[in-house]
Amino acid sequence: MADTVTDTDAECRIREGDYVVLKRGDVYKSVQIDKKKKVIFEKQWIFLDGAVGELYGSTFEVNAGAKLSLRKTNNSGSSAETKEAGLDNRHIVDDGKSQKLTRDDIESLKEQGLKGQEIVQQLIDNSTTFRDKTEFAQEKYIKKKKKKYENSITVLKPTSRILAMMYHGREPGKVCHLRCDTLAQLLTLGNIHAGSKVIVFETCAGLVLGSVMERMGGYGSVIQMYPGGGPVRAATDSFGFPSHFHDTLHEFPLCKLSALLSGTLNTEEKDPDGQSDGRPGERVTSSQLSSGGGEEASSEPQKMEVCAEQATDKDKERMERLREQKAQEKRVKMEEKRKRLCAAAALLKGRDADGLVIASRFHPCPVLLGLLKFVAPSRPFVVYCQYREPLIECYTKLREQGGAINLRLTDTWSRHYQVLPNRTHPKLLMSGGGGYVLSGTTVAANGGPSGPRQGTAGEPLAKRLRRDETTAASDSSTSFGSV
């Protein structure tokens, strides 16, 4: 009976055009699979055509010609040579003479077509001190040589955890040094779930935005607030979301936030058509060509003048068509941008967002105070910053003006442990800190009919309200006694 391929099985297999994450050791890289396309990974050119159709998580060997072949699992275990071990390493001297194979011998083995496992076994056989090492030292030696000589790559499916580890390991500055455990806290404290409306402001190359979209599963609405000319979504594209995920994504420029709050946002404005761009220079060039042709008319035949005029007319027509085509494409793009702006503005005008997530390299206080106005009461918000002082200012401002309760400023700290038999200990090389997170819940803040008392502007709103309630209660009891 022929095997049937289900939808779940198809989703677990690598397809052409998918975004994948390549892993070798502790190094990750996100690429897109295309046929006959060279990809450089760890200073090596490879073709990923051989990975198409295989399951995610498979390990491949890089063969001659930079092609991939599925690696077969070896169930034979360690060889008999690795079972002999010494009691300690006190008598082993690292003088560089314990290995009989030279560099030229190893290169000759590679030229003969030996694979990485076979080269590692040759190194073990020709080591004079390998059998005297302890079992732990032997495993460490084998792991080190496999990393150097075994040419294998694991293809993984992109997830928020893997991409966070990749960016933090390769380019932590692009994601504001955001670790995967801190990212998990942002998603949990922000109560990100399917069917909600979430506002996201981040400058982490789209990593936080993609993680929010992954958690929502294509249901709900995500409004990305962006600074500058346009949003940055490099990490979001690496997730490889289906098309219906992008239908839930909206964008709104941060510079037009004040206009939206005041009700003066004009969604019908358009950029200039730019019809005069480059035209004066082109006219000068054409006039120079025509004048140059007139000056040389006396020395050239009349046929050459006619051919030059015809060629010039054809060039003019071709350039005019190209100019009109570019102008039409620009108008289409501007119309699409205007529609996206209208859709995002319509979502924000309701001021009923279910959550707010901020992770930016900019100062978060003005952004937080401005975006909280679009979040409905009794909804969570979370702010990430690499440093503590900006979040302390946000905490103080929120306590003063009110509108938020359950404010918590936490330090995300974790420690990685190596868990192995008789050698469990914290890892020596680890991240020193995971940044700081400010979280809270929005409430409907009412200042009361009489407003704050004089000299209490710096007090928190909750304290002022309690004082006003106490004063009102005492006034009512006094009036009742006088009656």
Side-chain angles (χ1 to χ4, degrees):
M1 184 177 179
D3 296 335
T4 58
V5 179
T6 61
D7 295 340
T8 306
D9 188 23
E11 291 178 358
C12 297
R13 294 189 178 274
I14 305 170
R15 297 170 296 182
E16 184 183 357
D18 288 352
Y19 283 89
V20 299
V21 177
L22 306 181
K23 178 186 178 184
R24 177 182 290 172
D26 297 332
V27 182
Y28 299 84
K29 184 177 182 180
S30 176
V31 297
Q32 187 178 15
I33 293 184
D34 291 326
K35 285 188 176 181
K36 298 181 180 180
K37 178 183 177 181
K38 286 185 177 181
V39 177
I40 185 171
F41 181 53
E42 289 294 290
K43 300 180 181 180
Q44 182 182 16
W45 290 97
I46 57 176
F47 291 96
L48 299 177
D49 299 8
V52 177
E54 302 294 341
L55 294 174
Y56 280 104
S58 303
T59 303
F60 300 89
E61 292 283 350
V62 182
N63 300 328
K67 295 183 179 180
L68 300 182
S69 63
L70 187 63
R71 181 178 180 179
K72 298 180 181 179
T73 57
N74 186 10
N75 299 325
S76 60
S78 302
S79 62
E81 300 290 340
T82 62
K83 292 183 179 179
E84 300 179 10
L87 298 177
D88 53 49
N89 301 327
R90 69 179 69 182
H91 301 297
I92 298 177
V93 180
D94 188 10
D95 53 359
K97 300 178 181 179
S98 60
Q99 182 56 246
K100 298 178 182 179
L101 292 180
T102 62
R103 183 179 296 274
D104 296 335
D105 297 335
I106 297 175
E107 293 296 331
S108 63
L109 292 176
K110 291 181 179 180
E111 292 176 359
Q112 293 175 10
L114 268 70
K115 296 184 178 180
Q117 296 178 356
E118 299 172 350
I119 294 177
V120 172
Q121 188 61 42
Q122 290 288 336
L123 292 172
I124 293 173
D125 295 339
N126 290 274
S127 176
T128 59
T129 59
F130 183 80
R131 294 178 182 84
D132 299 332
K133 294 180 179 181
T134 62
E135 183 182 354
F136 300 152
Q138 287 180 357
E139 292 181 7
K140 187 176 180 181
Y141 178 85
I142 294 174
K143 183 179 179 181
K144 180 180 179 182
K145 296 305 178 183
K146 282 184 176 181
K147 184 178 180 181
K148 185 176 182 180
Y149 294 105
E150 283 193 359
N151 202 359
S152 60
I153 293 175
T154 304
V155 181
L156 303 174
K157 190 177 183 64
T159 60
S160 57
R161 181 184 63 86
I162 294 176
L163 291 177
M165 292 172 60
M166 181 191 75
Y167 274 99
H168 190 269
R170 294 174 64 94
E171 299 170 317
K174 282 190 174 182
V175 294
C176 303
H177 294 264
L178 180 65
R179 285 194 324 218
C180 60
D181 57 312
T182 310
L183 179 59
Q185 290 193 25
L186 293 181
L187 299 177
T188 303
L189 295 174
N191 193 24
I192 308 301
H193 59 276
S196 58
K197 182 193 296 185
V198 184
I199 301 176
V200 178
F201 175 72
E202 56 107 347
T203 57
C204 299
L207 177 62
V208 178
L209 176 65
S211 302
V212 171
M213 294 175 62
E214 181 190 41
R215 180 68 67 90
M216 295 178 63
Y219 298 95
S221 301
V222 182
I223 307 169
Q224 181 187 11
M225 313 296 296
Y226 64 89
V232 179
R233 298 171 181 169
T236 307
D237 297 336
S238 299
F239 281 87
F241 291 128
S243 58
H244 69 275
F245 275 65
H246 297 277
D247 296 338
T248 64
L249 179 58
H250 306 272
E251 58 190 44
F252 192 85
L254 200 64
C255 59
K256 297 184 179 181
L257 191 63
S258 59
L260 181 63
L261 288 171
S262 60
T264 60
L265 178 64
N266 184 13
T267 58
E268 300 296 333
E269 59 180 353
K270 298 181 180 180
D271 292 346
D273 295 337
Q275 296 179 356
S276 61
D277 295 344
R279 288 196 175 187
E282 293 169 2
R283 290 174 180 171
V284 171
T285 304
S286 60
S287 62
Q288 289 176 355
L289 290 174
S290 60
S291 62
E295 292 175 357
E296 297 178 359
S298 58
S299 60
E300 293 184 355
Q302 188 176 2
K303 292 182 179 180
M304 298 296 295
E305 287 187 7
V306 174
C307 293
E309 289 178 0
Q310 292 177 354
T312 305
D313 294 339
K314 290 181 180 179
D315 292 340
K316 287 182 179 180
E317 293 177 0
R318 181 174 59 84
M319 294 179 67
E320 188 67 27
R321 287 196 300 270
L322 290 175
R323 193 181 297 112
E324 292 178 358
Q325 183 179 0
K326 290 182 179 179
Q328 181 66 21
E329 293 177 355
K330 185 177 180 180
R331 285 194 292 268
V332 171
K333 290 181 180 179
M334 293 302 300
E335 182 64 21
E336 293 178 354
K337 187 176 181 180
R338 188 189 66 82
K339 290 181 180 179
R340 292 196 299 267
L341 179 65
C342 294
L347 291 175
L348 290 172
K349 284 180 180 178
R351 302 193 180 189
D352 56 350
D354 297 320
L356 172 64
V357 180
I358 298 177
S360 172
R361 66 177 183 270
F362 301 113
H363 200 291
C365 190
V367 180
L368 174 62
L369 298 180
L371 293 180
L372 276 180
K373 301 175 182 178
F374 298 96
V375 182
S378 188
R379 299 296 190 275
F381 65 91
V382 58
V383 186
Y384 165 80
C385 187
Q386 187 182 355
Y387 307 102
R388 178 177 55 184
E389 289 75 14
L391 295 183
I392 292 177
E393 182 178 348
C394 294
Y395 182 92
T396 306
K397 290 287 185 181
L398 291 175
R399 287 294 303 272
E400 290 179 356
Q401 75 173 17
I405 60 172
N406 196 22
L407 295 176
R408 295 182 60 191
L409 178 57
T410 58
D411 176 12
T412 59
W413 184 84
S414 66
R415 169 174 285 180
H416 296 273
Y417 279 84
Q418 172 184 286
V419 181
L420 292 173
N422 299 326
R423 44 182 171 158
T424 298
H425 58 80
K427 289 188 177 181
L428 300 179
L429 299 178
M430 66 183 72
S431 177
Y436 299 87
V437 174
L438 174 65
S439 60
T441 306
T442 59
V443 294
N446 296 320
S450 59
R453 296 177 180 269
Q454 296 181 356
T456 62
E459 295 181 354
L461 180 60
K463 185 176 180 180
R464 296 199 301 267
L465 291 177
R466 287 196 299 270
R467 178 178 295 180
D468 293 340
E469 291 175 357
T470 304
T471 305
S474 61
D475 293 344
S476 60
S477 61
T478 303
S479 59
F480 180 76
S482 60
V483 174

